[in-house]
Amino acid sequence: MPELPEVETVRRGLQPVLEGARLVKVEARRPDLRFPLPERFSERLAGKTITALGRRAKYLTMHVDDGPVLICHLGMSGSFRVENPETSDIPGVFHHERSKSSAHDHVVFDVVSPSSVRSRITFNDPRRFGFMLFAEGAPDAHPMLAGLGVEPTGNALDSSLLASLLKGRRAPLKAALLDQRLIAGLGNIYVSEALWRAGLSPLREAGTLAGSGKKAREQSERLAQAIRSVIADAIAAGGSSLRDYVQADGSLGYFQHSFAVYDREGEPCPKPGCGGHIDRIVQSGRSTFYCRTCQR
Ligand code: ZN
């Protein structure tokens, strides 16, 4: 499943094509994705001008003038393909190649830019775990988004906020970090990476970072910093790959090469001087990769 940095890369790839453009035609080629498409889906969007393309956690939000906000989730296998007379491009980078089979082209947006350039944006999703919904008011109030925690991007997530989120929690630190009501958009890959950067064990009790002592404060500071930097680095890596799409087919996992621990079971820990190896354990049914030598 794409994580927040991948979704943000998709947003940045679509933004120049969509923002300010007018939706000439919206075509739904089937009535549902994971959920049924909203009633009068095409009619309510056609003719509108897109004012902003936003993101909250792993949800994209398309705002139009005088209409509903389109909330879109890529699910497991969703992607957008951008085509105009010059190029064909799939913004975003993924671990698994994205489908180009037209059998899985489910929603097609035809847009025209203020300078009269026409583009076609096609949502392709073979497994159909993705979805599109309407929010009639502020998207943050929509049930899908209302309970989400703080974004791991920007400066909102600092050590004191992180400590207050973890305070009193007996769950393993990894499980707490995956809880979308605490931090929104942090997934399995980047939690493993952030914990390695912070030198903290995924198994330790989450609440231990909320103590009043100097050590707990240092640890929560290190973890807040690690979460922000791992996400920022991944977004930067995705962004720098965007310009290659015109030539490349824009498919395979770019971020994979920058993982320190994820999917590296048995390899030496890349932390200088550590000497340990990366272990894989299973927590709540999902793989955790970590170094038991330097992550305590
Ligand atoms: Zn290590």
Side-chain angles (χ1 to χ4, degrees):
M1 180 167 308
E3 292 207 20
L4 186 154
E6 287 85 349
V7 177
E8 176 60 17
T9 303
V10 171
R11 190 191 72 79
R12 291 181 185 191
L14 292 175
Q15 191 177 27
V17 187
L18 289 183
E19 280 190 0
R22 192 166 59 84
L23 288 157
V24 178
K25 186 180 165 202
V26 177
E27 183 191 355
R29 295 186 174 169
R30 52 177 301 125
D32 58 345
L33 298 167
R34 191 197 317 178
F35 308 124
L37 288 167
E39 283 185 31
R40 300 177 58 235
F41 176 74
S42 302
E43 295 90 318
R44 292 195 65 195
L45 293 174
K48 306 290 185 193
T49 296
I50 300 164
T51 53
L53 186 68
R55 178 192 58 73
R56 175 75 168 107
K58 294 197 281 186
Y59 302 87
L60 293 169
T61 54
M62 187 175 83
H63 302 251
V64 299
D65 63 326
D66 192 28
V69 178
L70 179 68
I71 298 174
C72 175
H73 194 284
L74 297 171
M76 306 284 286
S77 59
S79 65
F80 285 98
R81 188 171 73 245
V82 179
E83 291 159 300
N84 65 35
E86 280 88 47
T87 60
S88 174
D89 189 7
I90 302 178
V93 277
F94 302 96
H95 295 302
H96 304 291
E97 191 163 356
R98 263 22 202 179
S99 168
K100 286 176 193 152
S101 163
S102 61
H104 306 300
D105 288 348
H106 302 312
V107 183
V108 179
F109 301 90
D110 285 319
V111 300
V112 59
S113 78
S115 54
S116 301
V117 176
R118 286 182 174 271
S119 302
R120 168 165 284 190
I121 293 91
T122 303
F123 183 70
N124 180 295
D125 187 2
R127 297 181 67 182
R128 277 188 280 117
F129 283 106
F131 56 82
M132 294 187 190
L133 301 169
F134 282 160
E136 301 298 336
D140 280 348
H142 189 278
M144 227 17 124
L145 276 64
L148 291 173
V150 63
E151 286 276 321
T153 52
N155 293 322
L157 185 68
D158 62 14
S159 60
S160 58
L161 177 58
L162 182 61
S164 72
L165 293 173
L166 299 178
K167 190 174 170 63
R169 294 192 184 269
R170 311 285 305 273
L173 184 52
K174 188 204 178 195
L177 294 177
L178 284 176
D179 186 339
Q180 301 297 300
R181 295 165 298 181
L182 303 180
I183 303 172
L186 211 50
N188 205 41
I189 295 175
Y190 295 105
V191 166
S192 280
E193 293 294 299
L195 286 170
W196 175 80
R197 284 195 190 192
L200 293 169
S201 170
L203 297 166
R204 67 151 60 217
E205 197 175 296
T208 58
L209 268 67
S212 54
K214 185 161 175 267
K215 196 169 176 192
R217 280 204 306 278
E218 282 172 3
Q219 288 168 338
S220 64
E221 175 61 45
R222 282 212 311 272
L223 182 56
Q225 163 67 25
I227 291 169
R228 293 196 311 263
S229 70
V230 85
I231 296 292
D233 289 352
I235 290 173
S240 68
S241 70
L242 274 178
R243 60 177 160 270
D244 299 331
Y245 286 157
V246 180
Q247 295 92 337
D249 66 354
S251 49
L252 280 178
Y254 178 95
F255 299 145
Q256 202 160 354
H257 304 295
S258 60
F259 295 153
V261 292
Y262 188 80
D263 222 5
R264 291 188 180 275
E265 183 181 9
E267 294 184 27
C269 173
K271 196 162 284 181
C274 169
H277 283 79
I278 305 306
D279 274 326
R280 185 181 77 90
I281 57 171
V282 176
Q283 291 179 285
S284 314
R286 307 189 68 188
S287 291
T288 300
F289 296 90
Y290 84 114
C291 170
R292 65 178 78 221
T293 306
C294 65
Q295 290 180 247
R296 298 305 181 92

